[in-house]
Amino acid sequence: MHFLFLALAATPDPTPAGTLKPGLTEDQVSPGLWGFLATAFVVLLSIFLIVDMVRRLRRVRYRGEVEEAREAKDAAAREPGEQSVDDVEPVNQDEDLMDAPVQNVAESKEHGSRA
């Protein structure tokens, strides 16, 4: 703990001397043009992805608002005793077809009824 206080109390030298190995210059250890281009590509890609995500989220939110407005309009248009299509339970069509009488097309024309 005492070492930590001594390390924090020490004042660093404002001009460090000899930070590079002998024979190297600052432009040899910098990222250079390729580093700049890679960083610029990542930044542009990130901006594109953020803009695309915001656009998609906005589209989903607007669709939800339109759907809520449509549902509210349908609910207001319905009478209090009326059932909507969503409230009606589905009917098993196979049972209805099995119970229905089978008529011949020729018989139905004779009786004057339409098939």
Side-chain angles (χ1 to χ4, degrees), residues 18-32:
T19 56
L20 292 177
K21 291 184 179 181
L24 291 177
T25 61
E26 288 186 23
D27 63 334
Q28 290 175 331
V29 293
S30 70

Side-chain angles (χ1 to χ4, degrees), residues 51-108:
V51 169
D52 185 54
M53 180 186 65
V54 167
R55 183 180 51 196
R56 289 174 188 266
L57 289 173
R58 187 180 308 129
R59 193 179 309 157
V60 168
R61 187 180 70 227
Y62 288 158
R63 285 181 184 167
E65 289 174 1
V66 167
E67 182 68 24
E68 287 176 3
R70 187 181 62 81
E71 287 176 1
K73 183 180 175 184
D74 289 346
R78 268 190 282 144
E79 294 295 322
E82 247 182 77
Q83 287 184 339
S84 70
V85 175
D86 298 332
D87 296 338
V88 177
E89 292 190 24
V91 177
N92 189 353
Q93 293 179 353
D94 294 336
E95 291 177 4
D96 292 339
L97 292 176
M98 296 300 286
D99 294 338
V102 178
Q103 288 185 343
N104 191 350
V105 176
E107 291 176 9
S108 63

